[in-house]
Amino acid sequence: MWLYLVIFGCLSLCVPAPAVEQGRSCVFLTSSRNSRNMEEGRVNGTIQYCAHTNCCVGFFRIIDGQPVAELQGCKMVVGGCLDPTCFTSTTHLDYIRCECSSNLCNGNITWNAEEKQPQLKHSSHSTDMVTAIVVVLGMLLCTLVVAVKCRHRFRGYDDKQHLSLPEESLTSLCSCHISKQSDMDLTSMELQQIVGSGHFASVWQGSYQGTTVAVKVFPTWCKQEFTVEREVYGLPHLVHAGIAHFLGAGRKSDSGDCVLLLELATCGSLSSFLSKNSSDWTTTLKLAQSLSEGLAYLHSDFYRHGVHKPAVAHRDLSSNNVLVRDDGTCVLCDFGSSTILRSCAGPHSWQRYMVNVQSQVGTLCYMAPELLDGCVNLSSGWCLIQGDVYSLGTLLWELLMRCSDLFIGCPVPEHRLPYEEELGASPSLEQLIVHVSERRERPSVPKHWQQGLHDILLDSWDHDSDARLTAQCARDRLVSLPPCCSI
C-alpha cells in the first residue's frame, strides 16, 4: 500500500493540470470599490468576461438581514473554485463572500445565517479530498526519500553561499530561536472598504489607531497560510524599502479571523498600475530597480547585531504580488507561499525546511521551467531562489513593455502578462511546459532595444538555473543602465 502511495505521489508531480475554461462571464457591479477588478476582463454593462480566471466572486453586506452586493466581478487572483453556485455559510463582521465557477453565478448568493463555519455541501467533493490527501502523502514520502539520500546537511540555502561564523554559533543566533511576536489588540481597528480578494484572504482599506492601513483578513480555515506569511514578516531584520511594511498581526474578537496589518500602497498592485499607466524611462527604471532591490534583500542571508536574517524564497512573484507606492517604487508582498531557508544546525531545521517545500507553487505564467515540469531538486534552496530570479525576469519584461520611451514613434503595447500574446490569458500547465520548458520560448523582446536590456532579461530567465543572474546582480545591472533612455 505504501509503495503504491509513493509511486502515485511521484507520478502526480508530472501530471499536467487541466486547462482553465475560457470565457467565464460574471455579474459585474459598477462602483468605485470595483475599479481594480476592471483589469480582470472586458466589461459590457453588468457582465464581465474574465481574462485570467475561471472564477466569479461576490462580496455582500448584510443589511436588515438581507445580503446587498458591494463588489461583484471576476476573481482578481488566478486560482480554482469548486462550487458552481454562489454559496457561503460564514459571516465576517457584517459581510459574506463567495467564489463560484459557472456563468453569472455571483449574481445571487445563497447563505445560511445560522452557520459560522464552512461546511462541505457536495458529497462528490469527498472523493476529491481523499485523492488530494493521497497525492500529498505520496509527495511527502518522495521528498523524505530525497532527504535520506542527501549526503550533506543543509546550511544557508546552498553550497554556493556559506556563512563565515562557526557552526556552533548558528544554533544560538538562528532566527528559529527568536521569540514569537504577541498578538495585537485590534479593538480600535476599523474595516472601511474592500480593495481586493485572493484565494486565501481579502484585503481591505482600514483604520488602526487613527492611521490608514491595509488589513489582510484570513478566514479561520486559512490559518496555515496566515501563519506562513506572519512568520516571514516577523523575521529579524526584514525591514527594507522594497518589502511591504509589516505593522503587526492578531485575531478579530468577533469572528476569530486572522489579520495582518500592513502599509497601504495607494497605487495598488503592479498589475493594476501597468494596466492603467504607461511610464517614461525614468519612472520605469525606478520601478525596476526597487523591485530587484527588494528581492535581493529578501534573498540575503546575514547576521547583524548578533541576530540571523535567513534567506527567503518568495515562490509566487507576480505583478499581482508586487505593490506600487505613490513615490513610484515597488514593494514585495504576499508571502503565503514562501519558504524560509533556515541555516540552523541540527535535524529539526532540516525537517522543517523539507516538509514546507512543494514543487509547483505560484502563478503559472511566472514559473521557471524546472518548476513547471517538476524536475527540480527541492533539497536545494538555491533552486528556489533562482526560480524567483526567473520570475523577476518576466516581471522586468512586463514593466519594460509599458515604457513609452522604448516605443518612440509607435504606440505603447497594452499591458499583457508573460506568454499572454502567444498562449492566451490563462494558459494551462501543459501548454506552458511545452512552450517554456520543452521549446525554451520566452516573451518576445523588441529587437531595437539596447543590448543591455536584452542581456538582463536573457540572463534572468536562462533555461539553466545555475546560469541565471542573482537578484543582486540583476539590480546592479539595472543601476548601471543610463538614466536617459537610449534604445
Side-chain angles (χ1 to χ4, degrees), residues 237-245 263 290 293-295 297 325 331:
H237 304 307
L238 199 74
V239 178
H240 187 269
I243 296 175
H245 186 200
E263 67 167 303
S290 58
E293 286 171 0
L295 186 62
Y297 189 83
R325 290 195 181 105
V331 292

Side-chain angles (χ1 to χ4, degrees), residues 8-66:
F8 184 81
C10 293
L11 289 176
S12 67
L13 295 175
C14 301
V15 177
V20 174
E21 180 183 341
Q22 301 293 319
R24 171 69 66 233
S25 56
C26 304
V27 172
F28 185 83
L29 179 63
T30 303
S31 71
S32 59
R33 296 186 180 186
N34 213 10
S35 58
R36 291 184 63 189
N37 278 66
M38 291 287 291
E39 67 202 61
E40 299 307 312
R42 180 172 60 86
V43 175
N44 183 6
T46 60
I47 298 178
Q48 184 174 31
Y49 300 92
C50 303
H52 307 127
T53 181
N54 193 34
C55 299
C56 302
V57 67
F59 277 85
F60 301 79
R61 182 190 289 270
I62 305 302
I63 301 176
D64 297 329
Q66 296 298 320

Side-chain angles (χ1 to χ4, degrees), residues 132-322:
I133 291 172
V134 172
V135 171
V136 170
L137 286 174
M139 293 171 65
L140 177 59
L141 288 171
C142 289
T143 304
L144 291 176
V145 169
V146 174
V148 170
K149 291 184 177 181
C150 289
R151 297 181 179 179
H152 302 288
R153 181 170 53 195
F154 179 82
R155 286 189 62 188
Y157 57 77
D158 194 69
D159 290 338
K160 294 177 180 292
Q161 178 168 324
H162 293 282
L163 298 172
S164 58
L165 293 180
E167 183 172 339
E168 58 269 19
S169 68
L170 296 181
T171 301
S172 61
L173 298 177
C174 180
S175 57
C176 294
H177 303 283
I178 302 300
S179 59
K180 302 298 182 182
Q181 294 183 336
S182 58
D183 284 352
M184 299 177 67
D185 180 4
L186 301 178
T187 306
S188 64
M189 183 188 73
E190 176 187 353
L191 299 181
Q192 298 171 339
Q193 65 178 37
I194 189 166
V195 294
S197 63
H199 190 64
F200 300 114
S202 55
V203 181
W204 300 69
Q205 177 180 312
S207 174
Y208 180 73
Q209 296 182 347
T211 302
T212 301
V213 296
V215 183
K216 191 168 185 178
V217 181
F218 296 77
T220 52
W221 60 92
C222 293
K223 182 179 178 181
Q224 176 61 33
E225 290 74 23
F226 164 79
T227 301
V228 171
E229 188 155 6
R230 179 178 184 173
E231 187 175 13
V232 172
Y233 277 122
L235 286 172
H237 304 307
L238 199 74
V239 178
H240 187 269
I243 296 175
H245 186 200
F246 174 62
L247 304 175
R251 289 180 180 274
K252 294 168 64 197
S253 58
D254 56 344
S255 64
D257 290 346
C258 303
V259 171
L260 296 177
L261 293 186
L262 305 163
E263 67 167 303
L264 182 66
T266 54
C267 294
S269 70
L270 179 61
S271 175
S272 174
F273 179 84
L274 294 176
S275 66
K276 299 172 185 175
N277 305 280
S278 60
S279 305
D280 59 18
W281 174 250
T282 301
T283 303
T284 300
L285 196 57
K286 187 176 183 179
L287 290 166
Q289 289 175 355
S290 58
L291 171 61
S292 59
E293 286 171 0
L295 186 62
Y297 189 83
L298 189 70
H299 288 175
S300 64
D301 188 320
F302 62 83
Y303 282 85
R304 183 180 297 161
H305 306 305
V307 180
H308 176 219
K309 183 261 172 200
V312 179
H314 189 287
R315 307 198 67 203
D316 191 12
L317 198 59
S318 71
S319 55
N320 273 323
N321 291 339
V322 175

Side-chain angles (χ1 to χ4, degrees), residues 13 45 68 83-84 102 132 261 283 285 355 374 472:
L13 295 175
V68 177
D83 296 317
S102 60
L261 293 186
T283 303
L285 196 57
V355 169
Q472 181 62 46

